[in-house]
Amino acid sequence: MTAYPTITEQLADADAAREEGQRKMEWARQHMPILAELREEFVANQPFAGVTVGMAMHVEAKTAVLVELLAEGGADVAITGCNPLSTQDDVSAALDAVDGVTSYAKHDVDDEAYYDAIDAVLAYEPDVTVDDGNDLVTRIHNEYPDLIEGIMGGCEETTTGVHRLRAMEEDGELRYPVFAVNDTPMKTLFDNVHGTGESALTNIAMTTNLSISGKTVVVGGFGYCGRGVAKKAAGMNADVVVTEVDERRALEAHMEGYDVKPMREAAKEGDIFVTTTGNRDVVTREDFQNMQDGVLLANAGHFDVEINLDQLSDLAVDVSEVRPGVEEYEMEDGRRLNVLAEGRLVNLAGPLSMGHPVEVMDQSFGVQAVAAREIVQNGAEYEAGVHDVPDELDREVARTKLVAEGIEIDGLSAEQREYMDSWDHGT
């Protein structure tokens, strides 16, 4: 299909890598009951028979279980990474050995190789795209517009990707339907809040071997990801300061009990900074000049633009790696500012990073799977543009999770349902 090599062709000992990747996948499978339930359905019904799925995702164990599920449902899957540092080569090699799957994802590639791998995926002329950050969709529209006519639709996993898709839609440039998986309750309320909150702080602690407790954690942005980081940091006995540009979110953070300040002021007192906005230049030159010696700078947004590393480099007189995943920028006055994971996703791009907890990603990838199934079964009903995942599909995933957890809930009686659906009941 393409001259670009698969991960198997790029590794010196692909067999050993594959074995380790398969061990990671098996552990993830044991803790992903939603995908296990869907696997039974997909194997029996083969909803993706004859369908080619092109994917750009964080290639690690939980993602691999989703990819495996699609292949077991009949799909031919070609996948690469959506971040140069988040791919785990052993998992990518294990995926490349799955029947119906070809993986081009490799850890720590330069920009040219990153996009060459995306091009290799697109050489398969996918019928469905599954994206995390919108690089795949953007590449199709900019470089391979001839593919668009044959694409049924796509799914987008993350906040930044959905923002980019909506910008494309507003400009009249998005030419096939894409489900905003990120915006479903089963993704937003759990993955963004609990997944980002837990995994960002866990990886900061593991990468640095430093405590969160007793420190001042500055959270850039109070969207769902920022709320999660703030909530978990407070639960770890940190003092939390939130910075925001949105009036209502700032008030929400204030009512939740957090200090709310401009970044210029927060920079003076923070020990740990975590950006979660999806936007660029959240922490810039003036902030670096105000920071204390020894601060930790981490990003939990999709792209590495939230902490302005170019400006930090300009201020630094020396840059060195002081421990794996931590680069120390020494200022002229002797202060040291420490950047984690090169300013990329701290929960996925660091040397110890494993991404969100398995149980959380089971829910998110359950939504991905049923949304992809919806595209294949009913894609013709959706016009080009960004679409909400049908609520019944999101609830299907929630019901599956409740059963797996052994949780029972009440249901509405006929009288209650009639009351709620009627407008003529008085006081």
Side-chain angles (χ1 to χ4, degrees), residues 109-417:
V109 295
D110 59 23
D111 285 352
E112 182 179 0
Y114 176 80
Y115 284 105
D116 283 347
I118 288 179
D119 293 342
V121 168
L122 295 179
Y124 285 76
E125 299 184 3
D127 305 298
V128 174
T129 61
V130 180
D131 215 348
D132 190 321
N134 200 45
D135 280 348
L136 192 66
V137 174
T138 302
R139 191 73 168 177
I140 289 169
H141 283 73
N142 288 340
E143 304 293 337
Y144 300 94
D146 291 347
L147 295 180
I148 293 173
E149 186 176 350
I151 296 176
M152 303 174 187
C155 299
E156 171 54 53
E157 171 74 10
T158 198
T159 307
T160 298
V162 171
H163 286 328
R164 296 176 75 193
L165 284 167
R166 294 198 188 281
M168 289 179 71
E169 183 179 38
E170 289 174 6
D171 290 342
E173 296 295 332
L174 183 56
R175 293 172 53 195
Y176 65 83
V178 183
F179 281 129
V181 171
N182 177 78
D183 294 357
T184 68
M186 282 298 288
K187 203 276 187 184
T188 298
L189 298 177
F190 302 96
D191 182 312
N192 293 6
V193 176
H194 297 283
T196 301
E198 288 190 25
S199 64
L201 293 169
T202 296
N203 282 288
I204 291 169
M206 289 195 305
T207 300
T208 63
N209 197 30
L210 297 175
S211 176
I212 305 294
S213 176
K215 291 188 170 65
T216 297
V217 176
V218 177
V219 182
F222 203 67
Y224 286 103
C225 294
R227 293 170 203 174
V229 173
K231 179 183 180 70
K232 303 297 182 180
M236 297 173 75
N237 298 322
D239 293 324
V240 178
V241 178
V242 170
T243 72
E244 250 300 343
V245 297
D246 183 278
E247 301 88 344
R248 289 174 295 195
R249 288 181 177 176
L251 281 172
E252 183 182 4
H254 171 69
M255 294 298 287
E256 290 289 338
Y258 306 120
D259 287 339
V260 179
K261 298 181 179 181
M263 182 62 77
R264 295 289 183 274
E265 295 301 316
K268 299 173 183 177
E269 59 187 85
D271 300 302
I272 301 171
F273 295 79
V274 186
T275 55
T276 67
T277 71
N279 207 342
R280 64 175 301 144
D281 298 333
V282 180
V283 185
T284 59
R285 179 184 302 272
E286 292 78 6
D287 307 315
F288 301 135
Q289 292 171 332
N290 284 334
M291 288 177 179
Q292 305 174 74
D293 179 38
V295 301
L296 306 179
L297 297 164
N299 170 48
H302 187 80
F303 291 115
D304 59 339
V305 296
E306 304 207 21
I307 302 167
N308 194 316
L309 295 182
D310 290 337
Q311 293 179 358
L312 182 56
S313 295
D314 289 342
L315 292 171
V317 295
D318 186 50
V319 181
S320 60
E321 185 178 62
V322 290
R323 53 184 289 126
V326 182
E327 288 187 315
E328 178 187 272
Y329 289 72
E330 183 179 349
M331 301 292 102
E332 191 172 3
D333 60 5
R335 288 177 302 120
R336 295 155 299 175
L337 313 185
N338 299 291
V339 176
L340 277 58
E342 300 180 21
R344 295 189 180 275
L345 275 166
V346 69
N347 56 346
L348 278 159
L352 302 175
S353 299
M354 300 299 291
H356 288 358
V358 179
E359 300 94 331
V360 168
M361 294 313 300
D362 186 36
Q363 297 179 189
S364 295
F365 287 156
V367 178
Q368 281 278 18
V370 297
R373 183 189 64 194
E374 174 71 6
I375 289 168
V376 173
Q377 293 177 342
N378 301 305
E381 298 177 8
Y382 298 90
E383 297 180 352
V386 182
H387 295 268
D388 292 334
V389 175
D391 190 59
E392 178 53 34
L393 298 183
D394 199 58
R395 291 182 181 277
E396 174 187 340
V397 174
R399 287 193 297 270
T400 303
K401 180 67 171 180
L402 288 174
V403 171
E405 295 289 334
I407 298 172
E408 297 182 5
I409 63 173
D410 290 323
L412 292 175
S413 67
E415 291 80 5
Q416 287 175 316
R417 193 173 299 280

Side-chain angles (χ1 to χ4, degrees), residues 72-86:
E72 289 177 339
D76 288 320
V77 183
I79 185 168
T80 187
C82 66
N83 181 300
L85 295 179
S86 65

